[in-house]
Amino acid sequence: MKDKDMVNDVLSMVKSSLLNYERIISETSNPQLRQTIQQIRNSDEDFQYRLYQAAAQKGFYTPAQPASMQDIQQIRSQIMV
């Protein structure tokens, strides 16, 4: 397996984990457990961002083009309705 494939697999797995953390946090009523899961999620988000930066630097990952200010304003106005 190539380095690029491994990095993209890890990024995909972390993304999936982050989505699961969101669901678990929203369904957890115990404050200590909730806080612990939030800390794990925050740590995984940091790891994901650092891995993404390394992947982008090596050319393993090419992000989408940045949104235009017009697109951002349009979405913002739709959400703020």
Side-chain angles (χ1 to χ4, degrees):
M1 184 177 258
K2 295 180 181 179
D3 288 346
K4 178 180 179 178
D5 295 328
M6 287 188 290
V7 168
N8 284 324
D9 281 350
V10 172
L11 284 170
S12 179
M13 287 185 292
V14 172
K15 182 179 180 179
S16 177
S17 293
L18 292 172
L19 293 171
N20 286 328
Y21 290 140
E22 289 178 31
R23 182 184 52 78
I24 292 166
I25 290 167
S26 70
E27 296 174 358
T28 302
S29 60
N30 180 292
Q32 291 87 3
L33 179 58
R34 184 181 179 94
Q35 183 178 21
T36 298
I37 296 169
Q38 287 172 328
Q39 290 169 346
I40 295 169
R41 179 208 53 207
N42 292 346
S43 176
D44 279 3
E45 284 177 344
D46 183 56
F47 169 75
Q48 184 272 339
Y49 185 64
R50 287 183 284 121
L51 183 58
Y52 152 75
Q53 287 177 315
Q57 197 172 49
K58 290 184 178 258
F60 292 171
Y61 182 85
T62 305
Q65 291 292 324
S68 70
M69 284 306 296
Q70 181 180 359
D71 291 338
I72 294 169
Q73 291 298 334
Q74 181 181 2
I75 291 170
R76 184 177 287 152
S77 67
Q78 292 172 354
I79 294 172
M80 302 302 267
V81 173

